[in-house]
mmCIF file of all heavy atoms in Angstrom:
data_model
loop_
_atom_site.group_PDB
_atom_site.id
_atom_site.type_symbol
_atom_site.label_atom_id
_atom_site.label_comp_id
_atom_site.label_asym_id
_atom_site.label_seq_id
_atom_site.Cartn_x
_atom_site.Cartn_y
_atom_site.Cartn_z
ATOM 1 N N GLY A 107 1.623 -84.957 -42.026
ATOM 2 C CA GLY A 107 0.813 -84.516 -43.164
ATOM 3 C C GLY A 107 1.452 -83.371 -43.920
ATOM 4 O O GLY A 107 1.418 -83.325 -45.156
ATOM 5 N N ASP A 108 2.058 -82.431 -43.179
ATOM 6 C CA ASP A 108 2.718 -81.286 -43.820
ATOM 7 C C ASP A 108 3.876 -81.739 -44.702
ATOM 8 O O ASP A 108 4.237 -81.058 -45.665
ATOM 9 C CB ASP A 108 3.240 -80.311 -42.757
ATOM 10 C CG ASP A 108 2.111 -79.571 -42.048
ATOM 11 O OD1 ASP A 108 0.993 -79.557 -42.586
ATOM 12 O OD2 ASP A 108 2.366 -79.021 -40.955
ATOM 13 N N ARG A 109 4.476 -82.887 -44.335
ATOM 14 C CA ARG A 109 5.622 -83.397 -45.100
ATOM 15 C C ARG A 109 5.234 -84.569 -45.995
ATOM 16 O O ARG A 109 6.082 -85.290 -46.496
ATOM 17 C CB ARG A 109 6.744 -83.783 -44.134
ATOM 18 C CG ARG A 109 7.329 -82.560 -43.459
ATOM 19 C CD ARG A 109 8.539 -82.869 -42.628
ATOM 20 N NE ARG A 109 8.210 -83.519 -41.369
ATOM 21 C CZ ARG A 109 8.761 -84.644 -40.937
ATOM 22 N NH1 ARG A 109 9.650 -85.267 -41.661
ATOM 23 N NH2 ARG A 109 8.431 -85.150 -39.764
ATOM 24 N N HIS A 110 3.925 -84.754 -46.165
ATOM 25 C CA HIS A 110 3.387 -85.780 -47.079
ATOM 26 C C HIS A 110 3.865 -87.191 -46.710
ATOM 27 O O HIS A 110 4.186 -87.997 -47.587
ATOM 28 C CB HIS A 110 3.764 -85.453 -48.534
ATOM 29 C CG HIS A 110 3.363 -84.074 -48.962
ATOM 30 N ND1 HIS A 110 2.054 -83.706 -49.178
ATOM 31 C CD2 HIS A 110 4.119 -82.948 -49.184
ATOM 32 C CE1 HIS A 110 1.995 -82.427 -49.523
ATOM 33 N NE2 HIS A 110 3.235 -81.945 -49.534
ATOM 34 N N ILE A 111 3.900 -87.457 -45.413
ATOM 35 C CA ILE A 111 4.228 -88.801 -44.925
ATOM 36 C C ILE A 111 2.949 -89.422 -44.372
ATOM 37 O O ILE A 111 2.333 -88.887 -43.451
ATOM 38 C CB ILE A 111 5.299 -88.746 -43.806
ATOM 39 C CG1 ILE A 111 6.582 -88.098 -44.326
ATOM 40 C CG2 ILE A 111 5.591 -90.146 -43.270
ATOM 41 C CD1 ILE A 111 7.630 -87.861 -43.244
ATOM 42 N N ASP A 112 2.522 -90.523 -44.956
ATOM 43 C CA ASP A 112 1.299 -91.179 -44.511
ATOM 44 C C ASP A 112 1.546 -91.930 -43.202
ATOM 45 O O ASP A 112 2.668 -92.359 -42.903
ATOM 46 C CB ASP A 112 0.789 -92.164 -45.564
ATOM 47 C CG ASP A 112 0.328 -91.456 -46.833
ATOM 48 O OD1 ASP A 112 -0.090 -90.286 -46.732
ATOM 49 O OD2 ASP A 112 0.403 -92.074 -47.917
ATOM 50 N N PHE A 113 0.471 -92.089 -42.430
ATOM 51 C CA PHE A 113 0.530 -92.863 -41.192
ATOM 52 C C PHE A 113 -0.510 -93.970 -41.284
ATOM 53 O O PHE A 113 -1.677 -93.709 -41.553
ATOM 54 C CB PHE A 113 0.260 -91.970 -39.980
ATOM 55 C CG PHE A 113 0.263 -92.717 -38.676
ATOM 56 C CD1 PHE A 113 1.462 -92.992 -38.026
ATOM 57 C CD2 PHE A 113 -0.912 -93.149 -38.115
ATOM 58 C CE1 PHE A 113 1.472 -93.690 -36.826
ATOM 59 C CE2 PHE A 113 -0.917 -93.849 -36.914
ATOM 60 C CZ PHE A 113 0.274 -94.123 -36.274
ATOM 61 N N ILE A 114 -0.073 -95.218 -41.070
ATOM 62 C CA ILE A 114 -0.959 -96.372 -41.249
ATOM 63 C C ILE A 114 -0.958 -97.226 -39.989
ATOM 64 O O ILE A 114 0.100 -97.597 -39.480
ATOM 65 C CB ILE A 114 -0.510 -97.228 -42.447
ATOM 66 C CG1 ILE A 114 -0.532 -96.397 -43.739
ATOM 67 C CG2 ILE A 114 -1.391 -98.467 -42.591
ATOM 68 C CD1 ILE A 114 0.111 -97.095 -44.934
ATOM 69 N N SER A 115 -2.159 -97.517 -39.489
ATOM 70 C CA SER A 115 -2.327 -98.436 -38.368
ATOM 71 C C SER A 115 -3.048 -99.670 -38.897
ATOM 72 O O SER A 115 -4.217 -99.596 -39.285
ATOM 73 C CB SER A 115 -3.143 -97.773 -37.253
ATOM 74 O OG SER A 115 -3.415 -98.698 -36.225
ATOM 75 N N ILE A 116 -2.354 -100.808 -38.909
ATOM 76 C CA ILE A 116 -2.916 -101.980 -39.599
ATOM 77 C C ILE A 116 -4.022 -102.662 -38.802
ATOM 78 O O ILE A 116 -4.916 -103.264 -39.380
ATOM 79 C CB ILE A 116 -1.815 -103.006 -39.945
ATOM 80 C CG1 ILE A 116 -1.191 -103.600 -38.679
ATOM 81 C CG2 ILE A 116 -0.751 -102.358 -40.818
ATOM 82 C CD1 ILE A 116 -0.237 -104.729 -38.982
ATOM 83 N N ARG A 117 -3.982 -102.585 -37.473
ATOM 84 C CA ARG A 117 -5.011 -103.248 -36.663
ATOM 85 C C ARG A 117 -6.378 -102.599 -36.871
ATOM 86 O O ARG A 117 -7.387 -103.274 -37.049
ATOM 87 C CB ARG A 117 -4.615 -103.206 -35.188
ATOM 88 C CG ARG A 117 -5.609 -103.880 -34.244
ATOM 89 C CD ARG A 117 -5.614 -105.374 -34.413
ATOM 90 N NE ARG A 117 -6.538 -106.017 -33.500
ATOM 91 C CZ ARG A 117 -6.237 -106.411 -32.276
ATOM 92 N NH1 ARG A 117 -5.017 -106.194 -31.801
ATOM 93 N NH2 ARG A 117 -7.133 -107.001 -31.519
ATOM 94 N N GLU A 118 -6.396 -101.264 -36.832
ATOM 95 C CA GLU A 118 -7.661 -100.548 -37.022
ATOM 96 C C GLU A 118 -7.965 -100.267 -38.495
ATOM 97 O O GLU A 118 -9.018 -99.726 -38.811
ATOM 98 C CB GLU A 118 -7.629 -99.221 -36.254
ATOM 99 C CG GLU A 118 -7.557 -99.370 -34.737
ATOM 100 C CD GLU A 118 -6.130 -99.381 -34.220
ATOM 101 O OE1 GLU A 118 -5.195 -99.429 -35.040
ATOM 102 O OE2 GLU A 118 -5.951 -99.335 -32.996
ATOM 103 N N GLN A 119 -7.007 -100.592 -39.383
ATOM 104 C CA GLN A 119 -7.180 -100.331 -40.813
ATOM 105 C C GLN A 119 -7.376 -98.844 -41.094
ATOM 106 O O GLN A 119 -8.214 -98.443 -41.897
ATOM 107 C CB GLN A 119 -8.363 -101.134 -41.368
ATOM 108 C CG GLN A 119 -8.146 -102.631 -41.361
ATOM 109 C CD GLN A 119 -7.050 -103.060 -42.349
ATOM 110 O OE1 GLN A 119 -7.127 -102.774 -43.532
ATOM 111 N NE2 GLN A 119 -6.046 -103.744 -41.852
ATOM 112 N N PHE A 120 -6.583 -97.991 -40.416
ATOM 113 C CA PHE A 120 -6.629 -96.554 -40.632
ATOM 114 C C PHE A 120 -5.459 -96.129 -41.503
ATOM 115 O O PHE A 120 -4.338 -96.600 -41.322
ATOM 116 C CB PHE A 120 -6.556 -95.784 -39.308
ATOM 117 C CG PHE A 120 -7.757 -95.976 -38.428
ATOM 118 C CD1 PHE A 120 -7.638 -95.841 -37.054
ATOM 119 C CD2 PHE A 120 -8.997 -96.282 -38.956
ATOM 120 C CE1 PHE A 120 -8.735 -96.010 -36.232
ATOM 121 C CE2 PHE A 120 -10.099 -96.451 -38.146
ATOM 122 C CZ PHE A 120 -9.969 -96.322 -36.782
ATOM 123 N N ASP A 121 -5.735 -95.211 -42.423
ATOM 124 C CA ASP A 121 -4.710 -94.731 -43.337
ATOM 125 C C ASP A 121 -4.926 -93.238 -43.533
ATOM 126 O O ASP A 121 -5.971 -92.812 -44.041
ATOM 127 C CB ASP A 121 -4.814 -95.477 -44.671
ATOM 128 C CG ASP A 121 -3.693 -95.126 -45.639
ATOM 129 O OD1 ASP A 121 -3.038 -94.100 -45.428
ATOM 130 O OD2 ASP A 121 -3.493 -95.879 -46.606
ATOM 131 N N THR A 122 -3.958 -92.406 -43.150
ATOM 132 C CA THR A 122 -4.117 -90.953 -43.240
ATOM 133 C C THR A 122 -4.006 -90.419 -44.661
ATOM 134 O O THR A 122 -4.071 -89.207 -44.862
ATOM 135 C CB THR A 122 -3.082 -90.228 -42.358
ATOM 136 O OG1 THR A 122 -1.761 -90.612 -42.758
ATOM 137 C CG2 THR A 122 -3.280 -90.568 -40.892
ATOM 138 N N SER A 123 -3.835 -91.301 -45.614
ATOM 139 C CA SER A 123 -3.776 -90.826 -46.996
ATOM 140 C C SER A 123 -5.158 -90.416 -47.508
ATOM 141 O O SER A 123 -5.272 -89.800 -48.561
ATOM 142 C CB SER A 123 -3.179 -91.907 -47.913
ATOM 143 O OG SER A 123 -3.985 -93.076 -47.905
ATOM 144 N N SER A 124 -6.216 -90.743 -46.745
ATOM 145 C CA SER A 124 -7.574 -90.350 -47.132
ATOM 146 C C SER A 124 -8.200 -89.504 -46.027
ATOM 147 O O SER A 124 -7.890 -89.698 -44.841
ATOM 148 C CB SER A 124 -8.453 -91.582 -47.374
ATOM 149 O OG SER A 124 -8.709 -92.266 -46.157
ATOM 150 N N PRO A 125 -9.100 -88.550 -46.367
ATOM 151 C CA PRO A 125 -9.736 -87.699 -45.348
ATOM 152 C C PRO A 125 -10.506 -88.514 -44.313
ATOM 153 O O PRO A 125 -10.446 -88.207 -43.111
ATOM 154 C CB PRO A 125 -10.684 -86.816 -46.176
ATOM 155 C CG PRO A 125 -10.073 -86.777 -47.538
ATOM 156 C CD PRO A 125 -9.467 -88.135 -47.739
ATOM 157 N N MET A 126 -11.226 -89.541 -44.728
ATOM 158 C CA MET A 126 -11.979 -90.374 -43.800
ATOM 159 C C MET A 126 -11.040 -91.123 -42.862
ATOM 160 O O MET A 126 -11.327 -91.269 -41.668
ATOM 161 C CB MET A 126 -12.858 -91.366 -44.565
ATOM 162 C CG MET A 126 -13.743 -92.236 -43.653
ATOM 163 S SD MET A 126 -14.856 -91.257 -42.613
ATOM 164 C CE MET A 126 -16.009 -90.661 -43.850
ATOM 165 N N GLY A 127 -9.934 -91.588 -43.400
ATOM 166 C CA GLY A 127 -8.955 -92.279 -42.570
ATOM 167 C C GLY A 127 -8.393 -91.372 -41.489
ATOM 168 O O GLY A 127 -8.227 -91.790 -40.340
ATOM 169 N N ARG A 128 -8.124 -90.112 -41.844
ATOM 170 C CA ARG A 128 -7.608 -89.156 -40.856
ATOM 171 C C ARG A 128 -8.639 -88.879 -39.767
ATOM 172 O O ARG A 128 -8.317 -88.837 -38.585
ATOM 173 C CB ARG A 128 -7.199 -87.853 -41.544
ATOM 174 C CG ARG A 128 -5.905 -87.946 -42.348
ATOM 175 C CD ARG A 128 -5.397 -86.575 -42.747
ATOM 176 N NE ARG A 128 -6.291 -85.917 -43.698
ATOM 177 C CZ ARG A 128 -6.235 -86.097 -45.018
ATOM 178 N NH1 ARG A 128 -5.328 -86.906 -45.532
ATOM 179 N NH2 ARG A 128 -7.073 -85.460 -45.816
ATOM 180 N N ALA A 129 -9.891 -88.704 -40.181
ATOM 181 C CA ALA A 129 -10.952 -88.411 -39.215
ATOM 182 C C ALA A 129 -11.149 -89.571 -38.242
ATOM 183 O O ALA A 129 -11.243 -89.375 -37.026
ATOM 184 C CB ALA A 129 -12.264 -88.123 -39.955
ATOM 185 N N MET A 130 -11.209 -90.786 -38.752
ATOM 186 C CA MET A 130 -11.417 -91.958 -37.906
ATOM 187 C C MET A 130 -10.231 -92.180 -36.967
ATOM 188 O O MET A 130 -10.395 -92.631 -35.831
ATOM 189 C CB MET A 130 -11.634 -93.195 -38.775
ATOM 190 C CG MET A 130 -12.935 -93.175 -39.571
ATOM 191 S SD MET A 130 -14.389 -92.963 -38.520
ATOM 192 C CE MET A 130 -14.317 -94.466 -37.550
ATOM 193 N N MET A 131 -9.029 -91.838 -37.409
ATOM 194 C CA MET A 131 -7.856 -92.028 -36.576
ATOM 195 C C MET A 131 -7.865 -91.054 -35.401
ATOM 196 O O MET A 131 -7.502 -91.418 -34.277
ATOM 197 C CB MET A 131 -6.589 -91.849 -37.409
ATOM 198 C CG MET A 131 -5.335 -92.367 -36.731
ATOM 199 S SD MET A 131 -3.927 -92.438 -37.843
ATOM 200 C CE MET A 131 -4.376 -93.820 -38.882
ATOM 201 N N TYR A 132 -8.305 -89.834 -35.623
ATOM 202 C CA TYR A 132 -8.407 -88.876 -34.522
ATOM 203 C C TYR A 132 -9.428 -89.355 -33.488
ATOM 204 O O TYR A 132 -9.205 -89.257 -32.279
ATOM 205 C CB TYR A 132 -8.817 -87.497 -35.041
ATOM 206 C CG TYR A 132 -7.675 -86.686 -35.597
ATOM 207 C CD1 TYR A 132 -7.682 -86.249 -36.924
ATOM 208 C CD2 TYR A 132 -6.586 -86.340 -34.801
ATOM 209 C CE1 TYR A 132 -6.635 -85.509 -37.440
ATOM 210 C CE2 TYR A 132 -5.535 -85.602 -35.312
ATOM 211 C CZ TYR A 132 -5.571 -85.186 -36.627
ATOM 212 O OH TYR A 132 -4.532 -84.456 -37.127
ATOM 213 N N ILE A 133 -10.551 -89.881 -33.960
ATOM 214 C CA ILE A 133 -11.583 -90.381 -33.045
ATOM 215 C C ILE A 133 -11.045 -91.541 -32.214
ATOM 216 O O ILE A 133 -11.233 -91.603 -30.994
ATOM 217 C CB ILE A 133 -12.831 -90.826 -33.838
ATOM 218 C CG1 ILE A 133 -13.499 -89.600 -34.479
ATOM 219 C CG2 ILE A 133 -13.817 -91.563 -32.932
ATOM 220 C CD1 ILE A 133 -14.609 -89.944 -35.458
ATOM 221 N N ALA A 134 -10.334 -92.461 -32.870
ATOM 222 C CA ALA A 134 -9.790 -93.623 -32.168
ATOM 223 C C ALA A 134 -8.740 -93.205 -31.141
ATOM 224 O O ALA A 134 -8.634 -93.803 -30.066
ATOM 225 C CB ALA A 134 -9.184 -94.602 -33.169
ATOM 226 N N SER A 135 -7.962 -92.160 -31.447
ATOM 227 C CA SER A 135 -6.923 -91.725 -30.518
ATOM 228 C C SER A 135 -7.527 -91.149 -29.239
ATOM 229 O O SER A 135 -6.933 -91.254 -28.161
ATOM 230 C CB SER A 135 -6.003 -90.689 -31.185
ATOM 231 O OG SER A 135 -6.691 -89.486 -31.430
ATOM 232 N N VAL A 136 -8.725 -90.551 -29.351
ATOM 233 C CA VAL A 136 -9.416 -90.036 -28.164
ATOM 234 C C VAL A 136 -9.747 -91.184 -27.214
ATOM 235 O O VAL A 136 -9.540 -91.100 -26.003
ATOM 236 C CB VAL A 136 -10.706 -89.291 -28.567
ATOM 237 C CG1 VAL A 136 -11.532 -88.942 -27.331
ATOM 238 C CG2 VAL A 136 -10.370 -88.025 -29.340
ATOM 239 N N PHE A 137 -10.264 -92.283 -27.784
ATOM 240 C CA PHE A 137 -10.608 -93.431 -26.951
ATOM 241 C C PHE A 137 -9.361 -94.120 -26.398
ATOM 242 O O PHE A 137 -9.395 -94.702 -25.317
ATOM 243 C CB PHE A 137 -11.459 -94.414 -27.750
ATOM 244 C CG PHE A 137 -12.880 -93.954 -27.939
ATOM 245 C CD1 PHE A 137 -13.271 -93.360 -29.125
ATOM 246 C CD2 PHE A 137 -13.806 -94.095 -26.923
ATOM 247 C CE1 PHE A 137 -14.578 -92.915 -29.292
ATOM 248 C CE2 PHE A 137 -15.104 -93.659 -27.080
ATOM 249 C CZ PHE A 137 -15.502 -93.064 -28.267
ATOM 250 N N SER A 138 -8.258 -94.060 -27.130
ATOM 251 C CA SER A 138 -7.010 -94.632 -26.638
ATOM 252 C C SER A 138 -6.536 -93.894 -25.395
ATOM 253 O O SER A 138 -6.119 -94.509 -24.407
ATOM 254 C CB SER A 138 -5.938 -94.565 -27.734
ATOM 255 O OG SER A 138 -4.715 -95.067 -27.269
ATOM 256 N N GLN A 139 -6.625 -92.548 -25.423
ATOM 257 C CA GLN A 139 -6.239 -91.775 -24.248
ATOM 258 C C GLN A 139 -7.216 -92.022 -23.106
ATOM 259 O O GLN A 139 -6.810 -92.121 -21.941
ATOM 260 C CB GLN A 139 -6.194 -90.284 -24.568
ATOM 261 C CG GLN A 139 -5.858 -89.434 -23.333
ATOM 262 C CD GLN A 139 -5.518 -87.999 -23.677
ATOM 263 O OE1 GLN A 139 -5.101 -87.696 -24.785
ATOM 264 N NE2 GLN A 139 -5.690 -87.104 -22.720
ATOM 265 N N LEU A 140 -8.510 -92.141 -23.414
ATOM 266 C CA LEU A 140 -9.511 -92.409 -22.383
ATOM 267 C C LEU A 140 -9.216 -93.730 -21.678
ATOM 268 O O LEU A 140 -9.308 -93.828 -20.442
ATOM 269 C CB LEU A 140 -10.904 -92.443 -23.006
ATOM 270 C CG LEU A 140 -12.051 -92.846 -22.062
ATOM 271 C CD1 LEU A 140 -12.190 -91.835 -20.934
ATOM 272 C CD2 LEU A 140 -13.355 -92.965 -22.849
ATOM 273 N N GLU A 141 -8.838 -94.743 -22.452
ATOM 274 C CA GLU A 141 -8.515 -96.044 -21.870
ATOM 275 C C GLU A 141 -7.330 -95.924 -20.922
ATOM 276 O O GLU A 141 -7.342 -96.457 -19.811
ATOM 277 C CB GLU A 141 -8.185 -97.045 -22.982
ATOM 278 C CG GLU A 141 -7.798 -98.414 -22.469
ATOM 279 C CD GLU A 141 -7.286 -99.328 -23.568
ATOM 280 O OE1 GLU A 141 -6.802 -98.805 -24.598
ATOM 281 O OE2 GLU A 141 -7.361 -100.548 -23.397
ATOM 282 N N ARG A 142 -6.292 -95.206 -21.348
ATOM 283 C CA ARG A 142 -5.094 -95.036 -20.519
ATOM 284 C C ARG A 142 -5.431 -94.318 -19.219
ATOM 285 O O ARG A 142 -4.987 -94.707 -18.127
ATOM 286 C CB ARG A 142 -4.038 -94.266 -21.303
ATOM 287 C CG ARG A 142 -2.832 -93.847 -20.471
ATOM 288 C CD ARG A 142 -1.796 -93.138 -21.332
ATOM 289 N NE ARG A 142 -0.804 -92.482 -20.486
ATOM 290 C CZ ARG A 142 -0.895 -91.234 -20.056
ATOM 291 N NH1 ARG A 142 -1.927 -90.500 -20.404
ATOM 292 N NH2 ARG A 142 0.045 -90.710 -19.293
ATOM 293 N N GLU A 143 -6.215 -93.245 -19.314
ATOM 294 C CA GLU A 143 -6.566 -92.475 -18.128
ATOM 295 C C GLU A 143 -7.431 -93.302 -17.167
ATOM 296 O O GLU A 143 -7.279 -93.206 -15.949
ATOM 297 C CB GLU A 143 -7.295 -91.202 -18.530
ATOM 298 C CG GLU A 143 -6.408 -90.204 -19.264
ATOM 299 C CD GLU A 143 -7.166 -88.965 -19.677
ATOM 300 O OE1 GLU A 143 -8.413 -88.947 -19.500
ATOM 301 O OE2 GLU A 143 -6.529 -88.022 -20.174
ATOM 302 N N THR A 144 -8.346 -94.104 -17.721
ATOM 303 C CA THR A 144 -9.215 -94.940 -16.892
ATOM 304 C C THR A 144 -8.411 -95.992 -16.141
ATOM 305 O O THR A 144 -8.640 -96.243 -14.950
ATOM 306 C CB THR A 144 -10.280 -95.631 -17.764
ATOM 307 O OG1 THR A 144 -11.046 -94.639 -18.456
ATOM 308 C CG2 THR A 144 -11.223 -96.465 -16.909
ATOM 309 N N ILE A 145 -7.446 -96.620 -16.830
ATOM 310 C CA ILE A 145 -6.598 -97.634 -16.189
ATOM 311 C C ILE A 145 -5.791 -97.009 -15.058
ATOM 312 O O ILE A 145 -5.715 -97.548 -13.950
ATOM 313 C CB ILE A 145 -5.653 -98.281 -17.218
ATOM 314 C CG1 ILE A 145 -6.453 -99.144 -18.201
ATOM 315 C CG2 ILE A 145 -4.603 -99.148 -16.522
ATOM 316 C CD1 ILE A 145 -5.635 -99.654 -19.363
ATOM 317 N N ALA A 146 -5.172 -95.844 -15.326
ATOM 318 C CA ALA A 146 -4.359 -95.178 -14.311
ATOM 319 C C ALA A 146 -5.208 -94.773 -13.111
ATOM 320 O O ALA A 146 -4.784 -94.913 -11.956
ATOM 321 C CB ALA A 146 -3.668 -93.955 -14.916
ATOM 322 N N GLU A 147 -6.421 -94.281 -13.366
ATOM 323 C CA GLU A 147 -7.308 -93.866 -12.272
ATOM 324 C C GLU A 147 -7.725 -95.058 -11.423
ATOM 325 O O GLU A 147 -7.741 -94.984 -10.189
ATOM 326 C CB GLU A 147 -8.548 -93.185 -12.854
ATOM 327 C CG GLU A 147 -9.508 -92.647 -11.796
ATOM 328 C CD GLU A 147 -10.687 -91.937 -12.423
ATOM 329 O OE1 GLU A 147 -11.295 -92.510 -13.359
ATOM 330 O OE2 GLU A 147 -11.023 -90.826 -11.991
ATOM 331 N N ARG A 148 -8.041 -96.167 -12.071
ATOM 332 C CA ARG A 148 -8.457 -97.367 -11.339
ATOM 333 C C ARG A 148 -7.317 -97.905 -10.478
ATOM 334 O O ARG A 148 -7.525 -98.302 -9.334
ATOM 335 C CB ARG A 148 -8.927 -98.442 -12.326
ATOM 336 C CG ARG A 148 -9.515 -99.661 -11.637
ATOM 337 C CD ARG A 148 -10.224 -100.553 -12.622
ATOM 338 N NE ARG A 148 -9.328 -101.117 -13.603
ATOM 339 C CZ ARG A 148 -9.374 -100.864 -14.900
ATOM 340 N NH1 ARG A 148 -10.273 -100.010 -15.383
ATOM 341 N NH2 ARG A 148 -8.527 -101.425 -15.730
ATOM 342 N N ILE A 149 -6.098 -97.901 -11.009
ATOM 343 C CA ILE A 149 -4.947 -98.385 -10.249
ATOM 344 C C ILE A 149 -4.687 -97.483 -9.049
ATOM 345 O O ILE A 149 -4.421 -97.958 -7.939
ATOM 346 C CB ILE A 149 -3.700 -98.464 -11.151
ATOM 347 C CG1 ILE A 149 -3.874 -99.580 -12.190
ATOM 348 C CG2 ILE A 149 -2.441 -98.714 -10.326
ATOM 349 C CD1 ILE A 149 -2.782 -99.608 -13.232
ATOM 350 N N ARG A 150 -4.749 -96.166 -9.258
ATOM 351 C CA ARG A 150 -4.536 -95.226 -8.150
ATOM 352 C C ARG A 150 -5.545 -95.439 -7.033
ATOM 353 O O ARG A 150 -5.205 -95.463 -5.852
ATOM 354 C CB ARG A 150 -4.611 -93.776 -8.652
ATOM 355 C CG ARG A 150 -3.335 -93.257 -9.270
ATOM 356 C CD ARG A 150 -3.330 -91.729 -9.289
ATOM 357 N NE ARG A 150 -4.523 -91.220 -9.954
ATOM 358 C CZ ARG A 150 -4.612 -90.986 -11.251
ATOM 359 N NH1 ARG A 150 -3.584 -91.232 -12.049
ATOM 360 N NH2 ARG A 150 -5.726 -90.511 -11.782
ATOM 361 N N ASP A 151 -6.830 -95.599 -7.419
ATOM 362 C CA ASP A 151 -7.877 -95.803 -6.423
ATOM 363 C C ASP A 151 -7.658 -97.096 -5.644
ATOM 364 O O ASP A 151 -7.813 -97.134 -4.419
ATOM 365 C CB ASP A 151 -9.254 -95.827 -7.107
ATOM 366 C CG ASP A 151 -9.665 -94.458 -7.631
ATOM 367 O OD1 ASP A 151 -9.048 -93.458 -7.209
ATOM 368 O OD2 ASP A 151 -10.597 -94.406 -8.456
ATOM 369 N N ASN A 152 -7.297 -98.163 -6.362
ATOM 370 C CA ASN A 152 -7.067 -99.449 -5.702
ATOM 371 C C ASN A 152 -5.888 -99.380 -4.738
ATOM 372 O O ASN A 152 -5.943 -99.903 -3.620
ATOM 373 C CB ASN A 152 -6.827 -100.548 -6.739
ATOM 374 C CG ASN A 152 -8.095 -100.928 -7.483
ATOM 375 O OD1 ASN A 152 -9.194 -100.667 -7.019
ATOM 376 N ND2 ASN A 152 -7.948 -101.533 -8.656
ATOM 377 N N MET A 153 -4.799 -98.740 -5.176
ATOM 378 C CA MET A 153 -3.622 -98.636 -4.324
ATOM 379 C C MET A 153 -3.899 -97.756 -3.110
ATOM 380 O O MET A 153 -3.392 -98.007 -2.008
ATOM 381 C CB MET A 153 -2.430 -98.101 -5.126
ATOM 382 C CG MET A 153 -1.968 -99.049 -6.210
ATOM 383 S SD MET A 153 -0.509 -98.477 -7.095
ATOM 384 C CE MET A 153 0.763 -98.778 -5.876
ATOM 385 N N HIS A 154 -4.721 -96.726 -3.286
ATOM 386 C CA HIS A 154 -5.080 -95.859 -2.168
ATOM 387 C C HIS A 154 -5.863 -96.643 -1.119
ATOM 388 O O HIS A 154 -5.611 -96.515 0.088
ATOM 389 C CB HIS A 154 -5.901 -94.676 -2.675
ATOM 390 C CG HIS A 154 -6.333 -93.726 -1.598
ATOM 391 N ND1 HIS A 154 -5.444 -92.945 -0.899
ATOM 392 C CD2 HIS A 154 -7.564 -93.450 -1.080
ATOM 393 C CE1 HIS A 154 -6.097 -92.213 -0.010
ATOM 394 N NE2 HIS A 154 -7.388 -92.516 -0.096
#
């Protein structure tokens, strides 16, 4: 953003060129990390 380079995710239809697009992308990234952490935790528990 500081260098005026837009970021576009076509699957979620997010575009950082708009304020709403930036806000929705941050929210989606939280759930993306949650999914990764949940998968890793489930695998660890199963292997244990």
Side-chain angles (χ1 to χ4, degrees):
D108 289 342
R109 292 187 285 128
H110 306 289
I111 300 173
D112 293 332
F113 178 83
I114 300 171
S115 174
I116 65 173
R117 181 70 179 272
E118 295 92 352
Q119 293 293 303
F120 293 153
D121 185 343
T122 58
S123 61
S124 69
M126 183 59 71
R128 286 192 293 274
M130 293 304 296
M131 195 169 288
Y132 278 120
I133 293 171
S135 68
V136 171
F137 285 99
S138 178
Q139 177 168 336
L140 175 63
E141 178 188 24
R142 171 178 167 269
E143 292 179 353
T144 302
I145 291 172
E147 183 178 48
R148 186 168 64 245
I149 291 172
R150 278 200 306 271
D151 290 344
N152 288 340
M153 294 183 74
H154 180 67

